[in-house]
Structures are given as C-alpha cells and as structure tokens.
Amino acid sequence: MPITAIYGPDDFAQSGHGQAAPTPRGRAGSAERALPMPWLEWTSEVERATAHLYERVKGVISPIEWPFMAPYIKAINELKVTRDAVILAHNYQTPDIFHCVADITGDSLQLAIEATKVKAGTIVQCGVHFMAETSKILNPHKRVLIPDSLAGCSLAASITGADVRLLRERFPGVPVVAYVNTSADVKAEVDICCTSSNAVEVVESLNAPTVIFLPDQYLAKYVASQTDVKIIAWKGACEVHERFTGDELRAYREADPSVQIIAHPECPPDVLAEADFTGSTAHMINWVRNKRPKRVVMITECSMADNVQAELPDVEMVRPCNLCPHMKRITLPKILDSLISLREEVVIDPMIAEKARRSVERMINLKN
Ligand code: SF4
C-alpha cells in the first residue's frame, strides 16, 4: 500500500533540527604514543609482499596505479598486527581498501553483526560515521577509530533524536523503526533498527497496524509496497541513490535489451519499477553471484560494482558512477594515519550508547 504520511523537519518547528550537529566528531588522538611513519617506497620487497593482493584486484586496478597503493597496503597490514586492530570495510569502499586491507567486509548489517565477534582491541571502521558509531555501540569497551570523522551520510544528517521525540508525541503508541543509517542519538529514541536487508521483516515483527519508519522515504515506500502495515515515513533520502532515474534505466535497456538491471531500495519508485530485481547491498551481490548474468547494471554506489567485478571477472559490469562523497573520504593514507596516531576515536555518551544498543541488538536478535 502507499505510505500513509510523510514528515520532515519543517513539520516540527521546535525540533531544533539543523541546530544540533547530528554527526558528532571523533576524538582527535590518543594519549598512547604515535608510531613512526613507515617507509612508503615501491620496492621489490613491497612488490613481493603484495603480489597475492594484487591478484585479487588486477581486473579493477591498473599496474600503473598499484605501485602507489602497495606501500600503503603493506604498511597498513603490518600496523594492524602492531596495534591489535581489525579493519571493517563496507561494500562501498574502494577495491584497494575492500580487497587488500580489510579483515571483515559487508553491508551495514553484516558489519554490525561481525563487530560483536571481534577479538582485537581496536576496530578501524572504513565506512561512514554512523557505521563507526554502531560498532562502538556494540563494542563499548573497544577503541573504535574512523579514518575521517567527516565521513557523514545524507540520511543520518536528515533527522535528530529530537525529531523522533516529536514524532512520538504526534503518534502516541506507534512503534518507531530506524534504518541503521542514523546517528546514535536517533537510535537511542527508537524501538528497533533495521537495514535494507531486513526492513520488511523488522516492520512486521512489531505486530502493529501502523509503524513509523525513518529516515529514508524511498526505503519506506518500498517497505510499504511489500507489507500491509501502514507506514508513516520521514523525508530523508540517500544523495547517491536518489540521483538515479527511470529514464536512465530505460536508456540502458534500449542500448542492450538483454542487460540485467538490479537496484537498491533506497532508489526512487520509478527506478525500482524499471529494475529486474530490487534488493539490499547483500542481496544484490548474492543475486549476481548466483545468476551470473552476462552483463549487469548495479544501480547503487559505484565502488560496489568494482568490488563485485574483482570477485567475478566473468560478469560484465556496466557501472553508472554515482559515488558517495562520504565513503570516498576514507583512503589508504588516512587509514595508515589512523593506525599510526590512533585517531579519530569514536566517542558516544554512555547513556545514549546504552539506549541505542537496545535498538540495534533487538534487530540482531531478530536476525538470529
Ligand atoms: S551511499 Fe547514501 S546512504 Fe550510503 S553513506 Fe552515502 S549518502 Fe549515506
């Protein structure tokens, strides 16, 4: 069914939206000693030590680029051991990070679950700030670093905890589901979190006739189309996925009628209407792994297509390059600096973290 209502900051004049920064910044450094900068030259030793990693990415990183990346990759992999650190990388990270320095990769749900199993004392989150916050929420006693704390998200920035409290006042008793693409402040105010993989399942698990679903209006519309639960939505949007259009997809199909088009549910409805398959980041990857289409267009952030291309060279990827500028703030030099200087550390008010943890764990326990 269509969504029942859609709200935004303008509907709540006193919410303080835009006054309080929704994305807290990391702590600049650690009292622990910074390590010396490693030697970053392209040498035969670096070439030998990274040859097995280049094999993984040679389809998407040229031999001319590799000598600039390999010294960083070698240094980062060595420093992870020295710092007792693991690197978590989202599917939208570039292949040099995703395939060559990450220990755990996946979409936000996979990373949230894996974060709870990490043994190392330090987590370096290669993704955006809300992901690092989620790792900190689930690992309160570990050090969580993000190589650039300005790596935000248009969805997370679209709503505050105060907005959620005002929604609750307007709709008393209606449960609230928050997409994980929200700040800890918002997660602390909701009943349960969800990802694009489990959004319908989470909404239906509440056994309520109406649910407030925030902040992505397009994901809310997609969920509403898959369930009989009435959905009250928020006006947030992903600045990457909302740029795609139905016309663009029709042009791909006209150019090659046999092409398969798969889209993320953060895209607008006219885009999803043109797609052969709609699914979360993880579902899209599994669809390509299982179907092995000759040629596919992935309607999502473009590094994901690069990462799948590196894994499945037999599938031809058509890559509409909508980059997420926030994800691209994370680079090899910044990851190296993060490990050398132990910055920037993610810090969350313990009371907010405790409340946010309940919402995230409720989602994870549902999955388990
Ligand atoms: S791709 Fe969209 S949802 Fe993901 S981090 Fe970037 S702006 Fe946020």
Side-chain angles (χ1 to χ4, degrees), residues 65 327 359:
E65 294 170 287
M327 287 281 182
S359 304

Side-chain angles (χ1 to χ4, degrees), residues 98-110:
F98 188 87
H99 287 289
C100 301
V101 300
D103 300 289
I104 298 168
T105 56
D107 67 5
S108 44
L109 176 61
Q110 291 163 329

Side-chain angles (χ1 to χ4, degrees), residues 39-94:
W39 193 248
L40 293 170
E41 293 293 316
W42 171 244
T43 61
S44 53
E45 188 203 337
V46 171
E47 187 174 8
R48 262 195 314 277
T50 57
H52 64 295
L53 296 171
Y54 188 60
E55 273 302 302
R56 294 183 194 168
V57 292
K58 65 183 183 188
V60 289
I61 296 177
S62 74
I64 296 172
E65 294 170 287
W66 186 246
F68 296 97
M69 297 175 176
Y72 284 94
I73 288 168
K74 179 173 181 288
I76 289 167
N77 285 330
E78 288 170 356
L79 271 173
K80 283 193 300 190
V81 179
T82 311
R83 288 300 200 189
D84 183 30
V86 292
I87 293 183
L88 270 53
H90 189 266
N91 298 91
Y92 297 171
Q93 292 293 296
T94 49

